[in-house]
Amino acid sequence: MPYIEDFLSAKEEAEIVEAIRIAERHTSGEIRVHIEQNCATDVYERALDVFYILKMDNTKQQNGVLIYVAVDNKSFVIFGDQGINNSVGENFWNSTRDKIGSQFKSGHFKQGIIEGIKEAGQVLSSHFPWEQGDNDELDNTISKG
Ligand code: CA
Ligand code: CA
């Protein structure tokens, strides 16, 4: 896996941010992407920490979704807030996880993240449809740690 600076080009990052913006047109859910070089602890626990550090639990319907990537660990986690888990159950993210995973295996990181965002947006929209007056509650830019 490449260094975090080279993991995604500026153009690829812009494409990811745009994918989030488009996905959020159809759902009140909020999607964020966080990328870091290395995770020294359990990636799931770290993803959970990042979720709270980014204040992603601070949405009205508790429907924030984090796609967390640890470059050196070749790992990613998709984590959704309580509001989503309450209404759909824990298998909700399996299809999203599979999409990201198969692209990552082929080294297509940007494509994997974008497909994950699209898939997450789609599954979110059926349970949390976009509503008039929706706010962009969480920044769409990629955060790095
Ligand atoms: Ca929103
Ligand atoms: Ca957003």
Side-chain angles (χ1 to χ4, degrees), residues 24 27-30 130 134-137:
E24 291 184 1
T27 177
S28 61
E30 293 284 335
W130 186 89
D134 180 80
N135 289 320
D136 187 20
E137 295 174 286

Side-chain angles (χ1 to χ4, degrees), residues 90-103:
E90 60 187 33
N91 294 329
F92 190 57
W93 299 117
N94 286 356
S95 62
T96 308
R97 192 176 299 129
D98 290 348
K99 287 220 163 153
I100 301 174
S102 67
Q103 292 291 345

Side-chain angles (χ1 to χ4, degrees), residues 20 24 30-31 136-140:
I20 294 174
E24 291 184 1
E30 293 284 335
I31 301 168
D136 187 20
E137 295 174 286
L138 299 174
D139 201 312
N140 300 337

Side-chain angles (χ1 to χ4, degrees), residues 3-127:
Y3 285 111
I4 188 165
E5 295 81 18
D6 306 322
F7 184 64
L8 298 166
S9 69
K11 182 172 170 286
E12 289 175 324
E13 290 194 5
E15 286 177 53
I16 288 170
V17 173
E18 178 66 5
I20 294 174
R21 199 177 67 79
I22 291 169
E24 291 184 1
R25 275 190 203 153
H26 303 287
T27 177
S28 61
E30 293 284 335
I31 301 168
R32 285 209 72 163
V33 174
H34 182 90
I35 296 168
E36 61 192 1
Q37 186 73 49
N38 184 269
C39 173
T41 58
D42 180 76
V43 284
Y44 185 82
E45 281 175 24
R46 175 63 185 153
L48 201 62
D49 284 347
V50 168
F51 189 86
Y52 290 106
I53 290 166
L54 295 174
K55 298 191 178 3
M56 291 189 63
D57 55 326
N58 192 21
T59 59
K60 208 165 61 182
Q61 297 184 72
Q62 293 188 297
N63 56 5
V65 179
L66 172 65
I67 297 173
Y68 167 85
V69 182
V71 174
D72 285 350
N73 304 65
K74 305 185 195 315
S75 282
F76 68 92
V77 173
I78 177 154
F79 180 81
D81 203 358
Q82 204 58 45
I84 302 167
N85 293 341
N86 288 347
S87 64
V88 295
E90 60 187 33
N91 294 329
F92 190 57
W93 299 117
N94 286 356
S95 62
T96 308
R97 192 176 299 129
D98 290 348
K99 287 220 163 153
I100 301 174
S102 67
Q103 292 291 345
F104 272 34
K105 275 198 192 95
S106 319
H108 302 145
F109 305 116
K110 179 211 75 176
Q111 195 54 33
I113 293 169
I114 286 184
E115 285 188 15
I117 291 164
K118 282 185 180 164
E119 179 75 15
Q122 220 158 47
V123 290
L124 278 171
S125 67
S126 58
H127 296 276

